Amino acid sequence: MSYDYILAIDPSGNFNEGKGTTGFCLLNARKTPAHAIMLTCGIQASKAHTKEEYWQEHLNFIDGIVEQHKNIIIVIENFTLDPRRALAQAHSEMETPKLIGILQLYLTQHKIPYVMQRPSEVKNRWTDSILVWKKYLQQRGHNYILPNTNKVINRHEKDAVRHAVHYSTFKNKEEI
């Protein structure tokens, strides 16, 4: 199935372990690259009082987007434990995988289509320079901005852009 809108999420469940930021990107798959990205934003754990409040903000945000945009799919960056970093994760509360599980359950219960994408699928394919060359982003000094908005985006939002663009380019196809 082909979707008109793609909401990509670069999740960070880290509330106790570093106060993470989840990046979001809403992409209109029917527009040209310079006009495709409708918004990016980050939800910051540091602004919430509890991890449950932080996680609920994600669900509320998704609800608002899905209510406004029909024919949408959610693309979530998957979490896998890298063996090279496994020892560094010892004693971790694994908050990001918990958040991903909450998102998956919520989307399933509300019959909102979603897919998971591995970071390795998109990070090498969609480098910053390629996103700029393809006109999904513009570079100003050391910052990246959305075309036509002058909005500076953070690295989490940029990773969400990578996921949205990847899904739109390679997986959002009409069935034959």
Side-chain angles (χ1 to χ4, degrees):
M1 176 168 189
S2 179
Y3 295 94
D4 294 331
Y5 299 97
I6 299 161
L7 178 63
I9 306 172
D10 175 37
S12 174
N14 291 347
F15 182 81
N16 294 320
E17 298 172 346
K19 299 291 185 189
T21 300
T22 293
F24 290 88
C25 173
L26 179 63
L27 183 139
N28 183 332
R30 304 296 172 236
K31 298 271 185 172
T32 62
H35 297 94
I37 298 173
M38 300 175 67
L39 71 87
T40 63
C41 72
I43 295 179
Q44 299 174 348
S46 61
K47 295 188 177 180
H49 296 97
T50 66
K51 66 182 168 213
E52 292 80 12
E53 179 184 316
Y54 173 56
W55 296 344
Q56 184 63 51
E57 287 182 47
H58 291 70
L59 304 181
N60 295 345
F61 181 78
I62 290 168
D63 274 349
I65 295 294
V66 169
E67 190 172 300
Q68 293 176 18
H69 300 89
K70 304 305 174 204
N71 195 26
I72 188 169
I73 188 164
I74 312 298
V75 177
I76 304 170
E77 180 181 274
N78 204 357
F79 177 92
T80 56
L81 184 58
D82 184 334
R84 294 170 294 184
R85 296 184 182 160
L87 282 178
Q89 292 286 324
H91 306 291
S92 169
E93 294 180 25
M94 304 302 277
E95 293 175 291
T96 297
K98 289 177 185 177
L99 172 58
I100 291 171
I102 290 165
L103 294 173
Q104 289 178 290
L105 178 62
Y106 184 83
L107 296 169
T108 299
Q109 288 176 334
H110 290 84
K111 297 179 175 38
I112 300 168
Y114 77 92
V115 296
M116 306 299 292
Q117 280 186 161
R118 293 184 325 272
S120 60
E121 272 186 84
V122 301
K123 296 218 177 175
N124 293 327
R125 173 62 183 93
W126 299 101
T127 63
D128 296 347
S129 59
I130 289 175
L131 290 173
V132 169
W133 183 68
K134 293 276 195 176
K135 302 192 180 340
Y136 287 104
L137 297 177
Q138 294 175 344
Q139 187 171 8
R140 284 228 181 107
H142 296 298
N143 294 320
Y144 291 89
I145 63 169
L146 297 180
N148 308 312
T149 68
N150 291 326
K151 180 192 183 294
V152 176
I153 64 171
N154 65 39
R155 68 182 178 94
H156 304 286
E157 293 169 297
K158 195 170 15 166
D159 283 345
V161 168
R162 293 181 216 286
H163 281 284
V165 169
H166 186 76
Y167 186 87
S168 180
T169 303
F170 296 114
K171 300 177 182 178
N172 194 32
K173 306 293 181 197
E174 297 285 345
E175 292 185 22
I176 300 174

